Amino acid sequence: MKNMYCKILGHDYKVSRNVTSHVKEYTCSHCKKEMTTNSKGGLTVLTPKFKEINNVLEQIHNKRKLRL
Ligand SMILES: [Zn+2]
C-alpha cells in the first residue's frame, strides 16, 4: 500500500514546478498526488483546469521576465 504512509503521516509535497514566484506545483514524493497554489495562497488539488491556468500564468510570467 503506497498510500499508507500518506494516510498516517500526511503527504510529503516537493516542489515540482515553479510557475511564478508565488505559484508552485507540488508532487507528493510517496503517492505522486499533485497540488498547486490557488489564488488564496493555499494548496489545492492540481486538476487539468489548474494546470491550464498555471501554463498561462507561466507564459505571462516568462514574458515579463524577458522584458526586464
Ligand atoms: Zn502522498
Side-chain angles (χ1 to χ4, degrees), residues 1-52:
M1 277 285 279
K2 248 189 177 180
N3 291 346
M4 266 314 254
Y5 183 97
C6 296
K7 272 186 187 143
I8 298 164
L9 295 166
H11 297 287
D12 181 26
Y13 292 119
K14 303 260 187 270
V15 176
S16 54
R17 186 158 80 115
N18 283 298
V19 181
T20 71
S21 47
H22 301 292
V23 179
K24 289 168 178 52
E25 288 179 5
Y26 303 86
T27 306
C28 176
S29 60
H30 298 281
C31 68
K32 305 298 172 203
K33 187 182 168 81
E34 290 179 303
M35 301 291 279
T36 188
T37 318
N38 63 26
S39 52
K40 286 171 189 157
L43 282 185
T44 190
V45 178
L46 183 63
T47 58
K49 185 81 199 161
F50 269 109
K51 244 179 191 171
E52 226 172 80

Side-chain angles (χ1 to χ4, degrees), residues 17 19-20 25 49-63:
R17 186 158 80 115
V19 181
T20 71
E25 288 179 5
K49 185 81 199 161
F50 269 109
K51 244 179 191 171
E52 226 172 80
I53 294 168
N54 283 352
N55 284 340
V56 174
L57 278 177
E58 193 180 36
Q59 275 171 22
I60 297 167
H61 190 71
N62 286 341
K63 264 185 206 155

